[in-house]
């Protein structure tokens, strides 16, 4: 067996992981590269020449920044709603025993297992039967409903792994229920809550199917991108995609650095 073969076998897991990571990042790299393209026609699918025009005027396409602002507003509010409700549900399921606990646990996973088009059609039927006008509020309610399961799953996993002796020690030191929750329980559960919130934000901002069913005449950024693809793909779409990817990477790196700093001081 050659030295190269032995090296491959010894580092097979690392190589497979790097190849998988490269496969996942490659589309983002393509989007980033084509954000500096200057296409001659309406479609930004073939490289023509390097240009920073789109970066200097990211809102140069009509209604694009308006749809982006709307998507960000919906994502922020749906993240707040889903995180608050999901955290309370997760604590209830992990800490308390009640008759319908098993049924609720099962129902929580349904939105994650159900095809989005089925949930979108069901929500549309609900809103129409209620006589609700489709728009910002129906999108927001729909996003909170389908993000809720992901937040509950993330927070519940964190809560169930917590050491109950830490809270017992706080109570033994005469901390009240509120002090124990704020100073002990919440900081320990914070990583799970943050993970659920980030996941909810990404799902809400990125959603197209559920939004398309329940938006009415309202246009979010994913719907704008889909509509633009029918008649042309502005370079500014790639600019916004690159910016969002960069922000997400920065958030992850900041979280990793903060976690490493806490470990060093622990």
């Amino acid at each position: 067996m050659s030295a190269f073969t032995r090296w491959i076998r010894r580092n097979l897991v690392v190589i497979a992981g790097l190849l998988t990571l490269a496969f996942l990042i490659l589309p983002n790299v393509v989007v980033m590269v084509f954000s500096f393209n200057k296409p001659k026609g309406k479609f930004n699918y073939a490289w023509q020449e390097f240009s920073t025009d789109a970066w200097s005027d990211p809102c140069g396409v009509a209604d694009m920044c308006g749809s982006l602002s709307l998507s960000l507003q919906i994502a922020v509010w749906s993240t707040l709603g889903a995180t608050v409700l999901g955290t309370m549900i997760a604590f209830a399921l992990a800490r308390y025993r009640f008759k319908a606990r098993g049924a609720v646990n099962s129902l929580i996973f349904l939105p994650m297992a159900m095809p989005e088009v089925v949930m979108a059609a069901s929500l549309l039927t609900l809103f129409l039967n209620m006589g609700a006008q489709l728009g910002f509020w129906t999108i927001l309610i729909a996003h909170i409903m389908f993000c809720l399961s992901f937040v509950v799953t993330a927070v519940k996993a964190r809560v169930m792994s917590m050491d109950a002796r830490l809270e017992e020690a706080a109570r033994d030191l005469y901390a009240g229920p509120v002090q124990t929750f704020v100073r002990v329980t919440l900081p320990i559960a914070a990583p799970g809550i943050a993970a659920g919130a980030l996941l909810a934000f990404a799902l809400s901002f990125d959603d197209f199917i559920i939004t398309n069913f329940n938006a009415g005449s309202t246009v979010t950024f994913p719907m704008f991108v889909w509509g633009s693809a029918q008649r042309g793909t502005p370079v500014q779409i790639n600019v916004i995609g690159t910016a969002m990817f960069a922000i997400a990477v920065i958030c992850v790196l900041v979280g990793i650095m903060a976690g490493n700093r806490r470990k060093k001081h622990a």
Side-chain angles (χ1 to χ4, degrees), residues 14-73:
V14 176
I15 294 171
L18 291 174
L19 289 175
T20 303
L21 183 63
F23 177 76
L24 293 173
I25 293 179
L26 182 60
N28 296 290
V29 174
V30 173
V31 170
M32 188 182 305
V33 170
F34 275 83
S35 69
F36 294 98
N37 188 27
K38 188 175 183 179
K40 294 180 179 178
K42 294 182 178 180
F43 294 93
N44 187 27
Y45 296 152
W47 180 263
Q48 301 294 333
E49 61 178 294
F50 180 85
S51 174
T52 58
D53 292 346
W55 282 93
S56 62
D57 187 18
C59 293
V61 181
D63 298 329
M64 191 184 74
C65 282
S67 64
L68 175 63
S69 175
L70 180 63
S71 285
L72 289 173
Q73 291 178 51

Side-chain angles (χ1 to χ4, degrees), residues 118-130 134 212-216:
V118 176
M119 187 173 184
S122 300
L123 287 168
L124 176 61
T125 304
L126 173 66
F127 291 137
L128 291 178
N129 286 331
M130 292 175 61
L134 299 181
N212 192 42
F213 270 75
N214 299 281

Side-chain angles (χ1 to χ4, degrees), residues 80-91:
L80 288 173
T83 302
V84 172
L85 293 174
T87 300
M88 292 191 292
I89 293 172
F91 270 94

Side-chain angles (χ1 to χ4, degrees), residues 98-107:
F98 48 91
K99 290 183 178 180
R101 184 169 178 268
V104 173
N105 266 319
S106 301
L107 289 172

